[in-house]
Amino acid sequence: MRLIPLGDSAVTVELGEAIDPDVNALVVAYANRIIEQGWNGIVDVVPTYRSITVHYDPIQWDLTALTDRLLALPCPYPHEAGSQGALHDIPVLYGGDHGPDLEGVASFAGLEPSEVITLHASVCYRVYMLGFTPGFPYLGLLPEKLAMPRLPTPRPSVPPGSVGLANRQTGIYPIATPGGWRLIGRTPISLYRRTGLDPFLLKPGDQVRFRSIDETEFERLSCEMAHEHDRPQQRPR
Amino acid sequence: MKRKRAQIDVVKPGWLTTVQDLGRHGYQRYGMPVSGVMDRFAAIVGNRLVGNPDGAAVLECTLKGPELFFRDDARLAVTGADLSPTLDGSDIPLWECLNVRRGGRLRFGTRRVGFRCYLAIAGGFDVPAVLGSRSTHCPSQTGGLDGRPLRAGDLLFGGPFDGDAGRLVGRRLPDRLLPRYDRSMILRIVLDPRRELFQDTAISTLLYSVYTVAPQSDRMGYRLIGPPLPRAGAHYFISEGTVTGTLQVPADGQPILLMADRQTTGGYPPIAVVISVDLPSAAQLGPGDTVRFVSCSIVEAQTVLRTRYHLLDAALPPIMVNRRSL
């Protein structure tokens, strides 16, 4: 374990050296343990691939007091670290306008586009972390064969729901943003529901499986999602 | 006690005016940026001057302020950048609590100093809280007024306030606590302990150079133009949590200063972090302004921050409220 202060209001606790499911399971369990303490003045706890960033109010805490408390926390038990998050089935319309890079990825990998789809959908991915935009999951590990670097120039706008890949990761863009990942398809499922009480579909440590769908199914699910959006979910004030 | 609320028409929106509070905390682990005011000190002072708790929602006005028409009596304070505010055509002082009468018109003119100005009104700006905050995060259309900057024709609502508290009017921030804004600022930084991420010359370059804020800078971050900071060649950096004030360094060596709307995680190695007490100064920099960095310890950074708020508390005590009613 290595403690890395980030300025005067955060500290990163590093639990491993590499992107590894066991290290990440420990990260998620340890982050949950810190959150459970409910310490006043701890404003955010952010688990990432192999470390946790703890944001604190520097008026209430000094670094030594915080690191003493963090180091005194018992390590999560192996069974906690090993617990699986929720399993999500994410339907994807691969290729065409929704996946403009599918052909490119296929020729890079020396495969047919249909083989890329089968391979991408064959793996149960772990949500290693969320970042970049609200609800954006970093999923891994992508089969080695599909590991292609990012686009040399990011697209100025990627439509929400786009499924992309970059190196050994795959991810889903929850909102329209610029993006440099190679886009192979699109899901009608909303990953960030801005009016919802719990707007984030995926949580760190969850599992994701992709399923190939056709245009009709995509349209049907898109309509369903739109209806769900119309329903007021925000608690009246 | 007479409880009142104010309604305010947005006649002109200004260049970029958003509703902000002290930020949306607790959701960074889901990738939700914190957002909130860029200049925390100015926003807190504005709120205290009008009798609000520190976390009440204010308007953050950028470079060119809005034109607002008050349908009702209100109490306000303008803090932060001096964008030449006028009320019914007359100049008004910054950092002071004022009354505005029903039918009053608040306008802004040219930028004198600073880049971001804050308008606090008694009762705060009343927009629905989303995930516990009224801050606007425009890229995800979250919070504030429908997740976007103000537009002409918008109607703003103030929260309820005590209309009789006339004793607050004329109250101002003591001169000794007034921040100084300049087109070139010195910011104190805590260096990242991982020296192996950069070549040996990077830190001296950072500490002995002047950097200019690039035009493509926004609430997410400032791109800084200046001598490049060479990264250690082969080191592969795994994405990790970021903090506001981080100076992260992409492959071209030109640092990016992460600000209020920063991404919660980042894959560029950090070389240093601007200390909390100096972030308000950073918030007042605009494109073309310059910055220099000096190194500071964490203990020193936290001590100056506590001293600053201790002095502020003595001059303008915070208004205590039940957190839930914010």
Side-chain angles (χ1 to χ4, degrees), chain A residues 207-224:
Chain A
Q207 311 281 319
V208 167
R209 215 172 236 294
F210 293 105
R211 172 168 63 88
S212 177
I213 56 169
D214 61 17
E215 196 97 26
T216 321
E217 178 79 349
F218 184 89
E219 291 307 327
R220 189 183 65 76
L221 289 168
S222 297
C223 286
E224 265 179 33

Side-chain angles (χ1 to χ4, degrees), chain A:
Chain A
M1 189 192 277
R2 182 159 74 139
L3 294 166
I4 304 151
L6 302 181
D8 61 16
S9 68
V11 58
T12 289
V13 185
E14 208 173 85
L15 298 181
E17 299 281 310
I19 299 179
D20 173 278
D22 294 334
V23 169
N24 187 251
L26 198 61
V27 162
V28 171
Y30 197 77
N32 288 336
R33 171 136 305 168
I34 299 169
I35 293 163
E36 279 162 20
Q37 307 305 311
W39 292 330
N40 216 348
I42 300 301
V43 293
D44 262 300
V45 178
V46 188
T48 55
Y49 279 112
R50 44 101 182 226
S51 62
I52 302 148
T53 300
V54 180
H55 296 257
Y56 60 94
D57 175 357
I59 293 183
Q60 290 184 55
W61 288 87
D62 62 49
L63 182 63
T64 321
L66 178 59
T67 52
D68 285 352
R69 296 284 281 277
L70 288 172
L71 292 172
L73 275 187
C75 256
Y77 300 111
H79 72 268
E80 287 178 276
S83 71
Q84 302 275 304
L87 176 66
H88 303 267
D89 166 83
I90 304 285
V92 179
L93 175 57
Y94 285 97
D97 290 346
H98 294 311
D101 297 324
L102 179 65
E103 302 274 342
V105 172
S107 60
F108 172 85
L111 298 169
E112 290 299 315
S114 64
E115 293 173 313
V116 171
I117 296 170
T118 310
L119 200 51
H120 186 257
S122 69
V123 177
C124 188
Y125 298 97
R126 176 179 180 84
V127 179
Y128 275 90
M129 57 183 253
L130 299 150
F132 175 51
T133 66
F136 184 102
Y138 289 80
L139 305 167
L141 287 174
L142 186 72
E144 182 112 51
K145 249 192 142 145
L146 301 180
M148 192 172 177
R150 274 156 230 250
L151 293 169
T153 312
R155 289 187 170 85
S157 184
V158 171
S162 296
V163 176
L165 46 89
N167 304 313
R168 294 295 302 275
Q169 309 158 98
T170 177
I172 309 161
Y173 288 87
I175 59 172
T177 45
W181 291 28
R182 314 247 169 197
L183 307 181
I184 58 168
R186 195 173 170 200
T187 179
I189 303 293
S190 292
L191 273 77
Y192 174 60
R193 303 168 203 202
R194 58 179 66 83
T195 52
L197 282 179
D198 180 10
F200 309 100
L201 178 69
L202 304 177
K203 308 284 189 287
D206 281 359
Q207 311 281 319
V208 167
R209 215 172 236 294
F210 293 105
R211 172 168 63 88
S212 177
I213 56 169
D214 61 17
E215 196 97 26
T216 321
E217 178 79 349
F218 184 89
E219 291 307 327
R220 189 183 65 76
L221 289 168
S222 297
C223 286
E224 265 179 33
M225 290 310 292
H227 275 289
E228 222 170 281
H229 265 293
D230 289 343
R231 234 178 288 143
Q233 293 178 43
Q234 186 74 38
R235 197 171 21 207
R237 291 197 319 126

